[in-house]
Amino acid sequence: MSSHTTPDGPAGGPAAGPRRRLIRELLLVAGLFAVYKAGRMLSTDRTDEALRNAGRIWDAERTLHLPGEGAIQRLLLHGDALVHTANTYYAAVHFPATVLFLVWLYVRRPGHYLWARRVLAVLTGAALVLHLTFPLAPPRMLGAAHLVDTAQVYGPSVYRAAPATDTMANQFAAMPSLHFGWALMLALGMIAATRSRWRVLWLLHPLVTLLVVVGTANHYWLDAIVATVLLGGALLVVPRPRVRAGSLAVVRHLPRPQRAAGPLTPAAVREPSAESVGAGR
């Protein structure tokens, strides 16, 4: 018996193309994320510089009359359940939500997927440059802030208590806040890719994320502001998706019916049909 099987079609069959594209996308996204994670670790031993920058950011916020991060944290500390929920949101929602967002776009809105993936790549790359050039300790490490490290006290925590011993995360990469930047892009991407009257509610995700990252003392207000500016730059650089005809996004561009008394257009001038001649019109 021959060991050869009958091919399903050219180049492995009709399903080979989509499978190759899916594998390529998975490898690309995983590779970009691995480069980002590896790059962040290059500034983990710059403790003194990160604390000095934290003092500068704290002073700058007071000069700008931004509200103190402690005001949000005091709201969370009203109950153990509330602060535990905020810590869980910080630890468990950020990355899975972004992955689900990209998967949904890949399956349902391929054009929007490419746009969102490119925007996130530009945003994350710009964030990595800032992480390396401007190491920043989060407010939970700044004595002048008088804030509680809620993750260590109430749990759960994604960081070790001593930043120098944390081999899985760079705790001096507070600016910009990619928790907030990715959440804001998720909301904008879903608003752009859907047509529900309730799609504006996607903005609740970045709003809750902002309150969580500030209230848990993981980020300053300026971290979110800088993330917003970088995202705005990425949106300007990356072209908007081209939506093909037939999708919900282009229904408004379909031609309107001709009015009976409207002016003739070149497209409306045709040879009279036999039926119209016979009708005497």
Side-chain angles (χ1 to χ4, degrees):
M1 181 184 294
S2 172
S3 61
H4 296 286
T5 59
T6 303
D8 294 332
R19 278 200 302 267
R20 281 196 296 267
R21 287 195 296 271
L22 177 59
I23 293 173
R24 182 183 61 201
E25 285 297 324
L26 290 174
L27 292 175
L28 177 61
V29 173
L32 290 173
F33 184 72
V35 169
Y36 167 72
K37 292 291 287 184
R40 273 172 51 121
M41 300 305 293
L42 296 177
S43 60
T44 55
D45 58 346
R46 300 161 68 180
T47 304
D48 293 339
E49 184 180 358
L51 289 173
R52 285 196 299 271
N53 288 336
R56 296 186 182 105
I57 292 298
W58 183 260
D59 293 340
E61 287 190 341
R62 307 294 74 82
T63 301
L64 295 172
H65 301 289
L66 293 177
E69 286 78 359
I72 304 300
Q73 184 169 95
R74 284 190 292 273
L75 294 176
L76 296 182
L77 294 178
H78 277 301
D80 291 359
L82 183 59
V83 69
H84 183 81
T85 299
N87 290 333
T88 303
Y89 194 95
Y90 181 87
V93 174
H94 165 59
F95 189 74
T98 307
V99 171
L100 289 175
F101 164 63
L102 290 175
V103 169
W104 187 87
L105 288 182
Y106 183 86
V107 174
R108 301 294 299 274
R109 302 288 191 273
H112 285 83
Y113 164 78
L114 290 174
W115 168 66
R117 188 249 286 160
R118 290 166 181 164
V119 170
L120 286 172
V122 172
L123 169 63
T124 306
L128 178 58
V129 172
L130 257 182
H131 293 162
L132 296 177
T133 58
F134 191 77
L136 178 64
R140 68 177 186 271
M141 297 182 187
L142 184 63
H146 303 292
L147 296 174
V148 177
D149 188 342
T150 60
Q152 293 296 330
V153 175
Y154 299 93
S157 176
V158 294
Y159 304 120
R160 293 189 178 182
T165 64
D166 198 336
T167 58
M168 299 299 294
N170 178 6
Q171 298 190 41
F172 299 142
M175 179 177 286
S177 169
L178 283 183
H179 268 73
F180 179 74
W182 286 11
L184 183 56
M185 181 56 205
L186 186 156
L188 296 179
M190 291 302 296
I191 290 173
T194 59
R195 283 293 176 266
S196 167
R197 69 172 69 180
W198 304 106
R199 65 187 185 277
V200 70
L201 293 179
W202 284 106
L203 291 173
L204 290 175
H205 176 47
L207 175 60
V208 172
T209 299
L210 176 62
L211 297 179
V212 164
V213 299
V214 171
T216 57
N218 282 294
H219 287 284
Y220 306 90
W221 295 111
L222 280 176
D223 297 339
I225 292 173
V226 171
T228 303
V229 171
L230 292 179
L231 176 59
L235 290 171
L236 289 176
V237 170
V238 179
R240 290 291 302 273
R242 294 181 179 179
V243 184
R244 287 178 292 184
S247 70
L248 293 176
V250 296
V251 169
R252 64 181 183 275
H253 296 303
L254 293 178
R256 296 180 179 179
Q258 291 282 345
R259 294 183 178 180
L264 290 178
T265 63
V269 179
R270 294 187 177 92
E271 290 293 329
S273 63
E275 291 80 356
S276 63
V277 172
R281 296 180 181 176

